[in-house]
Amino acid sequence: MRDKILYSFPIQLFLLHLRKNLALVLVWVVLLGVILEQFGVVLGIPFLFLDPEYLHQVSWLSFFLIGVGMAILTMAFHMTTYIMDGRQFKFLALVPKPFIHFCVNNSLIPLIFYIIYTVKFIVFQLDNDLQSDWEALKFFLGFTLGGLVSYALIFGYFALTNKDFFIIFAGTLDRRLRKVRFTRANVLSQYKELKVLRDQVNSYLNLRLQLVSVRPDISRFETQKLLRVFDQNHLNLFLIQIFLILFVLFLGFFKEKEVLQFPAAMSVTLLLAILVMLVGAMSFWLRSWATLVVFLMLVSINYLSNVSFLNRPHEAYGIDYGAPPAPYTLARLDSLTHPDTLKKDRENTVRILDNWKAKFSPDSLPRLVIVAASGGGQRAALWTLNVLQTIHEKTNGAVTRHTELYTGASGGVIGQAFFREIYLRSLSDPDFDPKDPRFLAQISDDNLNPILFTLLVNDLLIRNQRFEYRGYSHLKDRGYAFENQLNINTKGILDKPLEAYRMPEEEGQIPLLPVTALVTNDGRKLVIAPHSMSYLGSSVMGKLGADEKKQSIDFRRFFAQHDADNLRFLSALRMSATFPFITPNVELPSTPIMETMDTGLSDNFGVQDALRFLYVFQDWMAKNTSGVVLITIRDSEKSVEIPHTEPPRIFEKVFTPLKNIYINWDNLQTIQNEVLFNYMDESMPFELDRIEFEYAPEQVQIEELTGSQETMQRASLNWRLTAKEKRSILNSIGSLRNRQSIEKVQRLFPAQ
């Protein structure tokens, strides 16, 4: 019995994969690590599978689509391994429906994954505050139904098209068998072949899941005719692979249809399925030459990838890419920060500050507020908006009226921009209430599904679909998908050009908001604002002159010949929040090409820009204000307990240095900001206060403010939040430290 199990087809296939197809096995291992929250937790990748969202809600339909995606990935695994290894198991040719039998026996690895995934997502959902525990059953049934429908369609096709040996050669089989003579040599030959065969497989699972023995008379049949069965099966497999790949690509023409924007996890599984199927297709056509040809193809693609036809830029929308590129040189940067230019920009900002002060009584010296919000994807956007709404409500709008500058990075800037636009509209439209919680729901709506779907059906190939924005044509990519979905989520109120904010800022109606992006060419900041702010990147005193390294680039002046004021404001926000691989780096029309990405890498908290602004206008603030209040909105705790560490293992010694750089990047910036703030506090000729808000869900749990014993898990760095993550962000405003900050705000700005 032991030998029957050990040399059974499922076990032998499993061992074969471990020996020969380890790369395909690793696909399942990585997915399993994701499901078990061992990989990608910080980025929220496990929650894409455990809590999938479709049409802005988690439902049985979203799990149905995950079931479809998993089934396609599983079939891709079966098809590829059958093409690569099916020939060496010649007994399959004699079995009715050989490929379906192969799938049944090849299901050990997918089955293990399915069981663990099912248990994991059910446990996750039961802990997710569902309306009823029966919802988890609906999700399970949806997932199961999606898999069953997919398997039924695919297996139905193979049942109709794949033939076994007896069907293909039915006309000649009986006649040939009658001519077989069982000589002693023939018997010995059969015995030896059968002995070798039994060392590999002597039993397999039939379609009733019964373990049956392999036919002992396989040696009677000609090898070439047996292989013809596999070739016929392989051709059918290849055809369905091509169909599935073309179908996914066809969906690219309808990628903006919300109903076709699959859950992000389904897009991931489809992408993996395509890669796995391509392995099978290459193996089918190239046989033993596949490895060499794939290597040569990769080298060729890499060499040719910078050809203009293949390397189309990811653009910022609304500016003129047809104009001659702007020279990106040190001489040009120096010319844009001439002392006369710095003086002009300072005088313009002083006029804006005077207009801000004119909102208050002439004989008063109002406090000026600056709000700096940190980056952190959608969690930072939601947390920033939550804090701004709360302090607006607690002070009856006083803090918002006193605020004259927003700074920050990534998601924090998106939250600030959204609140600022809501406040601007509330000045003339009573339907816009800055305190309305519906805006929290809008900013936290899923923005990841369309990005990954566009990556799958569009960006991995040659992008060719275009759209027009205010007179300029641009290629669509996942950057467009990000902007489009953010625009949909926020009901279109941010879809305006940069110049639309010039007058409201100039008249002091809304705070200044310099949106910054990191220029990857040299590490400088690109400052995008309707009013030029060259003083943020060069010494206003001009003492260093040509020896000074310019710290930032004024977008409006640098791209003045490219209609910079026409830049789509949503593109500016995307440039500040460009997360690698999710949204592509924006390429701007300069020579050499200027590329931008998330500014959080250089100043994730916006504190440096805020303090720079204070330094430049310290004289004006000393004369016209009773002091400045810097409100910082962090999406992390500033001071945490030192973690306990264990002696590192060998692999940890290799990766720990890189891990420490990533983990401590915020800590390094925080320490630098503390030093800068202390210098400013001691040297400024006016009173400088600081109020800090921190997203720290662990503190909420410790202080038992949630009314339950649930663990408030920290939200992931992502453009999609689960319901539980949203609650942890909203509840964090009630932590002891944040309540103390609110009380301080109320003392400084009592509601009127």
Side-chain angles (χ1 to χ4, degrees):
M1 184 63 182
R2 184 183 70 86
D3 288 347
K4 189 174 184 179
I5 295 176
L6 179 61
Y7 295 105
S8 65
F9 198 22
I11 298 300
Q12 290 302 306
L13 277 173
F14 177 76
L15 296 176
L16 175 66
H17 296 330
L18 294 182
R19 293 196 312 269
K20 183 174 177 287
N21 303 320
L22 194 57
L24 297 179
V25 175
L26 286 177
V27 171
W28 295 103
V29 172
V30 171
L31 280 178
L32 195 59
V34 169
I35 298 306
L36 295 176
E37 300 183 48
Q38 299 300 309
F39 304 136
V41 177
V42 173
L43 301 178
I45 298 175
F47 309 131
L48 304 181
F49 292 86
L50 302 175
D51 197 45
E53 191 168 307
Y54 176 64
L55 298 178
H56 302 286
Q57 63 178 339
V58 179
S59 64
W60 74 269
L61 189 55
S62 63
F63 275 97
F64 174 90
L65 293 173
I66 295 296
V68 173
M70 290 292 188
I72 293 175
L73 175 60
T74 303
M75 292 307 302
F77 174 72
H78 288 324
M79 289 186 285
T80 297
T81 52
Y82 183 78
I83 287 174
M84 294 171 62
D85 305 316
R87 284 168 165 258
Q88 72 184 70
F89 302 104
K90 297 182 176 61
F91 75 91
L92 282 174
L94 309 179
V95 176
K97 301 179 178 58
F99 175 68
I100 299 178
H101 275 87
F102 179 87
C103 293
V104 170
N105 288 269
N106 194 44
S107 295
L108 186 57
I109 293 175
L111 180 62
I112 293 172
F113 174 82
Y114 270 64
I115 292 173
I116 296 176
Y117 171 67
T118 302
V119 172
K120 184 68 178 177
F121 88 68
I122 290 177
V123 171
F124 182 90
Q125 291 299 331
L126 290 175
D127 192 40
N128 208 23
D129 291 346
L130 299 173
Q131 295 180 353
S132 167
D133 289 348
W134 291 105
E135 290 289 313
L137 177 61
K138 287 173 58 178
F139 297 161
F140 170 73
L141 294 176
F143 174 74
T144 303
L145 181 62
L148 290 177
V149 170
S150 302
Y151 288 129
L153 292 175
I154 297 175
F155 282 137
Y157 167 79
F158 288 121
L160 294 175
T161 58
N162 279 14
K163 299 177 176 60
D164 58 62
F165 184 92
F166 295 100
I167 295 177
I168 294 178
F169 300 103
T172 61
L173 184 60
D174 289 340
R175 184 168 59 255
R176 287 183 173 270
L177 286 178
R178 293 191 190 100
K179 295 181 180 180
V180 175
R181 295 186 178 181
F182 290 91
T183 62
R184 184 173 182 275
N186 197 18
V187 172
L188 289 175
S189 175
Q190 291 180 47
Y191 173 77
K192 290 179 181 179
E193 187 173 345
L194 183 59
K195 187 175 183 298
V196 174
L197 183 65
R198 283 186 174 276
D199 287 339
Q200 298 180 18
V201 173
N202 58 18
S203 61
Y204 66 95
L205 290 174
N206 63 17
L207 299 186
R208 297 182 180 179
L209 301 183
Q210 297 171 330
L211 199 62
V212 298
S213 298
V214 171
R215 291 178 63 99
D217 55 348
I218 188 173
S219 59
R220 299 180 180 181
F221 308 110
E222 298 176 22
T223 299
Q224 291 302 316
K225 292 198 173 184
L226 290 172
L227 294 181
R228 279 187 58 188
V229 178
F230 291 103
D231 288 340
Q232 179 260 338
N233 289 180
H234 291 174
L235 180 59
N236 286 329
L237 294 177
F238 176 72
L239 291 176
I240 198 168
Q241 287 177 342
I242 295 299
F243 170 78
L244 289 175
I245 293 173
L246 292 178
F247 176 71
V248 170
L249 300 181
F250 173 74
L251 293 177
F253 293 102
F254 309 98
K255 59 180 176 291
E256 291 165 40
K257 299 291 184 182
E258 193 173 30
V259 70
L260 291 179
Q261 292 174 356
F262 302 144
M266 184 181 179
S267 295
V268 171
T269 55
L270 289 178
L271 177 58
L272 290 174
I274 289 175
L275 294 176
V276 170
M277 286 190 291
L278 287 176
V279 171
M282 297 293 289
S283 177
F284 175 74
W285 287 109
L286 302 174
R287 305 296 186 191
S288 59
W289 291 93
T291 302
L292 177 61
V293 172
V294 169
F295 175 77
L296 294 176
M297 286 178 61
L298 291 176
V299 172
S300 301
I301 291 173
N302 178 67
Y303 180 77
L304 297 173
S305 60
N306 62 351
V307 177
S308 58
F309 178 72
L310 297 175
N311 186 28
R312 299 186 178 187
H314 297 278
E315 299 176 345
Y317 307 135
I319 61 176
D320 183 7
Y321 279 80
Y328 184 22
T329 62
L330 293 178
R332 178 90 191 287
L333 295 181
D334 289 339
S335 69
L336 296 178
T337 52
H338 189 275
D340 292 342
T341 301
L342 296 175
K343 181 181 178 181
K344 177 182 177 181
D345 289 351
R346 289 180 64 196
E347 291 174 347
N348 180 62
T349 303
V350 166
R351 285 193 294 271
I352 294 174
L353 291 171
D354 288 337
N355 292 337
W356 168 84
K357 185 176 183 294
K359 297 190 299 184
F360 306 96
S361 59
D363 56 347
S364 67
L365 292 176
R367 282 190 175 88
L368 185 143
V369 176
I370 296 176
V371 179
S374 74
Q378 198 168 44
R379 76 179 180 211
L382 178 58
W383 172 237
T384 298
L385 180 60
N386 189 27
V387 172
L388 292 176
Q389 283 192 323
T390 300
I391 59 180
H392 181 88
E393 179 182 9
K394 296 297 183 181
T395 62
N396 197 24
V399 168
T400 308
R401 290 192 296 274
H402 282 256
T403 301
E404 181 50 11
L405 178 68
Y406 284 147
T407 63
S410 188
V413 168
I414 291 177
Q416 289 174 323
F418 190 42
F419 180 81
R420 186 178 75 152
E421 180 64 33
I422 294 167
Y423 177 72
L424 175 62
R425 298 200 177 211
S426 72
L427 299 177
S428 58
D429 187 348
D431 289 338
F432 283 85
D433 180 3
K435 305 184 299 294
D436 196 326
R438 67 187 167 104
F439 298 120
L440 295 171
Q442 292 176 10
I443 199 67
S444 60
D445 258 352
D446 172 62
N447 201 14
L448 188 63
N449 283 355
I451 295 175
L452 292 186
F453 184 71
T454 302
L455 172 65
L456 172 68
V457 302
N458 185 77
D459 286 15
L460 291 178
L461 298 174
I462 300 174
R463 294 173 286 121
N464 55 13
Q465 290 182 280
R466 308 187 72 90
F467 82 107
E468 186 173 306
Y469 181 79
R470 292 175 61 88
Y472 298 108
S473 177
H474 303 277
L475 284 168
K476 293 181 178 180
D477 56 14
R478 59 191 186 279
Y480 170 81
F482 173 85
E483 291 184 26
N484 187 54
Q485 190 60 49
L486 179 60
N487 191 40
I488 292 172
N489 293 348
T490 55
K491 310 305 178 185
I493 67 174
L494 292 172
D495 193 8
K496 52 176 62 176
L498 184 65
E499 64 183 356
Y501 287 107
R502 179 177 295 123
M503 289 306 297
E505 287 186 2
E506 185 173 327
E507 295 171 358
Q509 292 180 292
I510 56 175
L512 300 170
L513 176 56
V515 179
T516 59
L518 178 68
V519 179
T520 61
N521 305 60
D522 53 21
R524 291 180 171 88
K525 282 183 181 178
L526 183 68
V527 181
I528 307 170
H531 297 275
S532 292
M533 306 172 79
S534 57
Y535 48 76
L536 290 179
S538 183
S539 172
V540 292
M541 305 301 180
K543 294 180 179 179
L544 296 179
D547 293 332
E548 179 189 15
K549 183 179 177 68
K550 304 302 182 288
Q551 296 126 45
S552 66
I553 303 168
D554 179 63
F555 175 80
R556 289 186 67 245
R557 281 204 177 88
F558 194 94
F559 294 104
Q561 303 304 314
H562 298 81
D563 204 0
D565 287 331
N566 197 52
L567 174 73
R568 192 186 194 190
F569 187 63
L570 286 167
S571 289
L573 296 178
R574 169 166 62 97
M575 292 164 70
S576 179
T578 296
F579 194 81
F581 306 114
I582 302 301
T583 46
N585 288 4
V586 172
E587 300 174 25
L588 296 170
S590 63
T591 305
I593 295 174
M594 183 187 296
E595 289 194 31
T596 66
M597 66 173 292
D598 197 312
T599 192
L601 188 62
S602 62
D603 182 14
N604 192 49
F605 301 98
V607 171
Q608 294 178 24
D609 287 337
L611 297 181
R612 180 83 180 189
F613 188 86
L614 290 179
Y615 175 76
V616 172
F617 298 103
Q618 56 182 294
D619 293 338
W620 185 93
M621 292 178 186
K623 296 177 182 177
N624 294 277
T625 72
S626 58
V628 174
V629 179
L630 175 62
I631 297 177
T632 58
I633 305 175
R634 299 174 55 99
D635 86 323
S636 60
E637 287 186 83
K638 185 170 75 174
S639 300
V640 295
E641 191 55 64
I642 308 301
H644 178 71
T645 57
E646 298 289 343
R649 298 181 176 88
I650 294 177
F651 285 172
E652 291 174 338
K653 289 181 180 180
V654 174
F655 294 106
T656 294
L658 296 175
K659 179 181 176 182
N660 287 341
I661 292 174
Y662 170 77
I663 291 176
N664 288 312
W665 195 253
D666 275 5
N667 293 330
L668 292 173
Q669 291 192 27
T670 297
I671 292 171
Q672 292 175 346
N673 291 340
E674 291 291 289
V675 173
L676 290 174
F677 180 84
N678 289 333
Y679 285 157
M680 295 288 290
D681 190 26
E682 294 170 2
S683 61
M684 287 298 97
F686 52 81
E687 182 180 352
L688 180 58
D689 288 304
R690 179 171 58 175
I691 303 175
E692 295 180 312
F693 290 88
E694 299 178 350
Y695 167 52
E698 299 85 357
Q699 291 296 324
V700 177
Q701 174 63 18
I702 291 172
E703 296 150 19
E704 297 183 350
L705 296 175
T706 63
S708 69
Q709 293 302 312
E710 69 171 328
T711 300
M712 301 302 291
Q713 186 176 13
R714 180 171 177 76
S716 54
L717 179 61
N718 208 327
W719 289 113
R720 189 258 170 172
L721 299 170
T722 67
K724 195 171 185 178
E725 288 176 325
K726 293 176 186 178
R727 287 198 306 275
S728 79
I729 293 171
L730 299 179
N731 288 339
S732 194
I733 196 69
S735 71
L736 177 60
R737 185 170 299 175
N738 289 331
R739 292 204 316 272
Q740 292 172 340
S741 296
I742 292 173
E743 291 171 359
K744 185 174 182 180
V745 169
Q746 290 177 306
R747 287 196 301 271
L748 293 175
F749 302 94
Q752 299 177 353

